[in-house]
Amino acid sequence: MDGPQEKEAQVAAWLKKIFGDHPIPQYEVNPRTTEILYHLSERNKARDRDVSLVIEDLKQKASEYESEARRLQELLMESVNFSSANLSSTSSRYLNALVDSAMALETKDTSLASFIPAVNDLTSDLYRTKSKNEEIKLELTKLEKNLTATLVLEKCLREDLKKAELHLSMEKAKVDSRLQNMDFLKAKSEEFRVGIKAAEEQLSARDMDASLSHQSLVALSEKLAELKRRTIPLKKKLESYLDLMPNPSLAQVKIEEAKRELDTIETELTKKVDMMEL
């Protein structure tokens, strides 16, 4: 394997050969660029060798064609004293067409035995090419269908993405609004808490009854609700007595008892309500 310096020398020589008298473009000399240019030079040399072989082969075939042409010309001259110079313009065109066909088919000579296999090979190549073209067309058709389906899917995904982005934007706006409301409520709550505390301190300084504090009022409100709940069955009980048709004197006694109990509860309830209003 060539070392880095040898590769750089080979690359420099190859570039000088390629550009000739023209200046070589400037490029950064480093191991990577040297390696790339070295591989390019090797491939270029291999291609030049292949081209040289093809040229030599074509020269050899041209020489063989010329020899065959001379042999046929001598044969015609010997057999019928015939020369290509004596051909008509139509005959010359036919002869040239025959020669061109032989060169296109790359036959050894212009004999029928050489033309038939060459034409058969060309026909087989044509059928193979047509078959390959059909396969390529089918593959292209499948690719077009897949591409169409992919484009439709991409369009749907883009629309879904836009909808999702719009929904996300709306939800974000809602969240921001809720956060703002939450901040506002927190500020108001803190403001009320400070105000309640200041009011309680002020009332405490004035020797206010502790039963009128916020906590006491809340407890009284809960007790009031409990008393209201307890009056419901008593009212139902009273209504049941009113619907009865027993001894009038006994019923009157029961009614009076229920009324007194109800008045007592309502009086207590009134007192509690008045205390809460204060």
Side-chain angles (χ1 to χ4, degrees):
M1 182 178 294
D2 296 333
Q5 294 181 352
E6 294 179 357
K7 288 183 178 180
E8 290 179 6
Q10 292 184 20
V11 167
W14 174 67
L15 291 175
K16 185 176 181 181
K17 179 181 178 182
I18 293 296
F19 289 97
D21 297 333
H22 298 283
I24 299 174
Q26 297 293 327
Y27 66 94
E28 183 180 355
V29 179
N30 54 48
R32 184 172 180 274
T33 57
T34 301
E35 190 69 21
I36 293 173
L37 291 173
Y38 176 76
H39 284 296
L40 286 176
S41 67
E42 291 297 317
R43 293 182 63 180
N44 183 262
K45 291 176 182 178
R47 188 190 63 179
D48 290 344
R49 287 193 296 269
D50 294 339
V51 171
S52 299
L53 292 175
V54 172
I55 292 173
E56 292 297 327
D57 183 63
L58 292 175
K59 286 182 178 179
Q60 183 178 355
K61 288 184 178 180
S63 177
E64 291 176 357
Y65 289 149
E66 290 176 358
S67 299
E68 181 66 14
R70 287 194 297 270
R71 186 185 68 79
L72 292 175
Q73 186 176 8
E74 291 174 357
L75 180 62
L76 287 174
M77 290 295 295
E78 291 176 357
S79 59
V80 295
N81 194 21
F82 178 78
S83 174
S84 59
N86 298 328
L87 292 176
S88 63
S89 58
T90 303
S91 300
S92 297
R93 287 198 301 272
Y94 289 158
L95 182 60
N96 291 332
L98 183 64
V99 173
D100 292 339
S101 299
M103 293 181 66
L105 294 173
E106 297 182 355
T107 58
K108 183 178 180 181
D109 50 37
T110 57
S111 64
L112 190 61
S114 298
F115 270 111
I116 291 176
V119 171
N120 289 336
D121 293 340
L122 188 62
T123 303
S124 299
D125 293 340
L126 178 61
Y127 285 146
R128 284 194 296 271
T129 303
K130 286 183 177 180
S131 177
K132 189 66 176 177
N133 287 338
E134 292 296 328
E135 292 178 1
I136 293 174
K137 286 181 180 179
L138 291 175
E139 188 68 23
L140 286 176
T141 302
K142 292 180 181 178
L143 290 175
E144 288 176 356
K145 290 181 179 179
N146 293 336
L147 179 60
T148 302
T150 303
L151 291 175
V152 171
L153 179 60
E154 181 183 4
K155 184 179 179 181
C156 294
L157 290 175
R158 288 183 182 274
E159 293 177 354
D160 292 341
L161 180 60
K162 288 182 180 179
K163 292 179 181 179
E165 289 177 349
L166 178 60
H167 179 71
L168 182 61
S169 177
M170 295 174 62
E171 290 297 323
K172 185 177 182 299
K174 291 181 180 178
V175 171
D176 292 340
S177 177
R178 290 173 182 173
L179 289 175
Q180 291 178 358
N181 292 336
M182 186 181 296
D183 293 338
F184 175 77
L185 292 175
K186 285 182 178 180
K188 281 295 181 182
S189 176
E190 181 65 20
E191 182 181 346
F192 289 150
R193 189 185 67 80
V194 173
I196 290 171
K197 185 177 180 181
E200 288 178 348
E201 291 176 353
Q202 186 177 4
L203 292 174
S204 178
R206 295 178 181 179
D207 296 330
M208 183 198 73
D209 189 356
S211 61
L212 297 178
S213 64
H214 178 70
Q215 289 82 359
S216 300
L217 292 176
V218 171
L220 287 174
S221 176
E222 293 176 352
K223 190 172 182 180
L224 176 61
E226 177 65 21
L227 290 173
K228 287 183 178 180
R229 185 184 64 79
R230 289 169 57 187
T231 59
I232 294 175
L234 293 175
K235 288 182 178 180
K236 290 183 178 179
K237 185 177 180 180
L238 178 60
E239 291 174 356
S240 65
Y241 287 137
L242 293 175
D243 293 336
L244 294 176
M245 302 266 319
N247 187 342
S249 60
L250 181 60
Q252 186 65 32
V253 172
K254 292 293 184 181
I255 290 172
E256 291 299 329
E257 291 178 356
K259 284 183 177 180
R260 284 195 298 272
E261 187 176 357
L262 182 60
D263 289 339
T264 302
I265 294 175
E266 287 182 350
T267 301
E268 185 178 356
L269 179 62
T270 303
K271 290 180 179 179
K272 298 297 183 182
V273 170
D274 292 340
M275 291 178 67
M276 289 181 66
E277 289 178 354
L278 292 175

